[in-house]
Amino acid sequence: MNEVVRKAEIARRHSLTLAGVTTTEKNEALLLIAAKLEKNSDIILDANRKDVTAAQNKSVSKALIDRLTLTEDRITGMVDSIRLLKELEDPSGKTLSESRRPNGLLIKKTAVPIGVIGMIYEARPNVTIDAATLALKTGNAILLRGSSSTIHSNKAILSLIHDALSKTSLPPEAVQLIENPDRELLKSLYNAKGLVDVLIPRGGKELINTVVENSRVPVLETGAGNCHVYIDAEADPEMAISIVVNSKTQRPSVCNACETIIIHEDWAQKHLGNLIEALQEKHVVIRGDEQAAAIQPGIQAASQTDWEEEFLDLIVAVRIVPSLDNAIKHIELFGTKHSEAIVSESSVNVDKFFTLVDASVVYHNASTRFTDGFEFGFGAEIGISTQKLHARGPMGLEALTTVKYQVYGTGQIK
């Protein structure tokens, strides 16, 4: 029996215990986990430095280094998200609807834990904390498989979570980490139907596609973020520049960062120079179409692949369009259904954008960087779903539940 199957069986066994734990018990456990992580942040940071050093020695990209790096501030943010999670309503056991049938049967639709969640993710050790605490709050066991690049960080975090849970009524073994980096073991996870109820991949396009294409376990698909900001003809120039700069540069290595700016030609004629200057002050490399280069000399020529690229770096593509319709067509062709924004003073254009743009989150006059479970008030997130079934957008507590129909009778037969 390999590590995946063994730990999946342990998680399955303890998921039955978790299903009966009260909300009060789960909340107490979350507070203990938060306190344990906060008190022992030095242990996490020491382990994380090993991962960062190993990555630097392999000359990996700056974007990857940023995603795997933890700091005191980032740990504080994760601890705060756990404490916010504790304050949120527990969806498990909640009656979603009920009806009385003509024959007297009472039918209740109730939210219940999914059971065992498998999580496959890359580079970001904060996902270990987010996924574990979201699962525990909803009464799910979880089987975590992070990347080898964060193994020291993940093991340190898991050890602290287990220490905290050992002082509660929740079984520590309900949170499992696959430590063996052998990718062949993933085949066992893909085929763990009956032990694992759902797989959630969180990472780059290649990882997500591999899981979707190979898994026999149902997949709750997250998506890559080729996000766009469209600047409408009469957009406020100061606001538009501020939103674009924030969307692109505030943290370029994450999936909700802007990768392409689409600009109405009328706005571009007046304000493109100021926008480019603001981006270049932040050391952004700009790749534009012919019209953008004609308006603002010095812009690099964009290739066809630039329109579909998730740069995850200080690089952005710029396209000039004659109308909102053209902007929507571009997004439909190259977008990943993640997060799309319009900067506009026209309510008609905003309504059209919101109606026709197919994405999990659409924004008016706001940065795409808000697509985040914490920012949405979810406490944390298990990922950003870009699919349309079961869950879409930032996935918080409700996304980790399914439904059970409870039928109450008084002896009815058919």
Side-chain angles (χ1 to χ4, degrees), residues 136-148:
L136 293 171
K137 175 78 177 195
T138 47
N140 291 288
I142 191 159
L143 183 60
L144 300 163
R145 204 282 187 178
S147 63
S148 59

Side-chain angles (χ1 to χ4, degrees), residues 12 15 114-118 140 192 194-199 217-219:
R12 168 61 63 187
S15 70
I114 289 174
V116 178
I117 297 164
N140 291 288
L195 293 176
V196 177
D197 294 291
V198 65
L199 277 181
V217 176
V219 176

Side-chain angles (χ1 to χ4, degrees), residues 220-240:
L220 187 52
E221 185 177 348
T222 61
N226 186 12
C227 305
H228 302 76
V229 176
Y230 168 63
I231 303 177
D232 203 12
E234 299 301 324
D236 178 274
E238 185 175 342
M239 179 190 295

Side-chain angles (χ1 to χ4, degrees), residues 199-246:
L199 277 181
I200 304 175
R202 183 168 173 180
K205 185 177 180 180
E206 183 179 350
L207 167 69
I208 295 164
N209 289 343
T210 299
V211 175
V212 170
E213 292 167 6
N214 291 280
S215 180
R216 292 180 62 243
V217 176
V219 176
L220 187 52
E221 185 177 348
T222 61
N226 186 12
C227 305
H228 302 76
V229 176
Y230 168 63
I231 303 177
D232 203 12
E234 299 301 324
D236 178 274
E238 185 175 342
M239 179 190 295
I241 292 171
S242 174
I243 288 171
V244 166
V245 170
N246 180 264

Side-chain angles (χ1 to χ4, degrees), residues 266-278:
D266 292 348
W267 194 95
Q269 289 290 345
K270 301 174 185 175
H271 309 293
L272 181 60
N274 292 334
L275 173 61
I276 299 304
E277 182 180 348

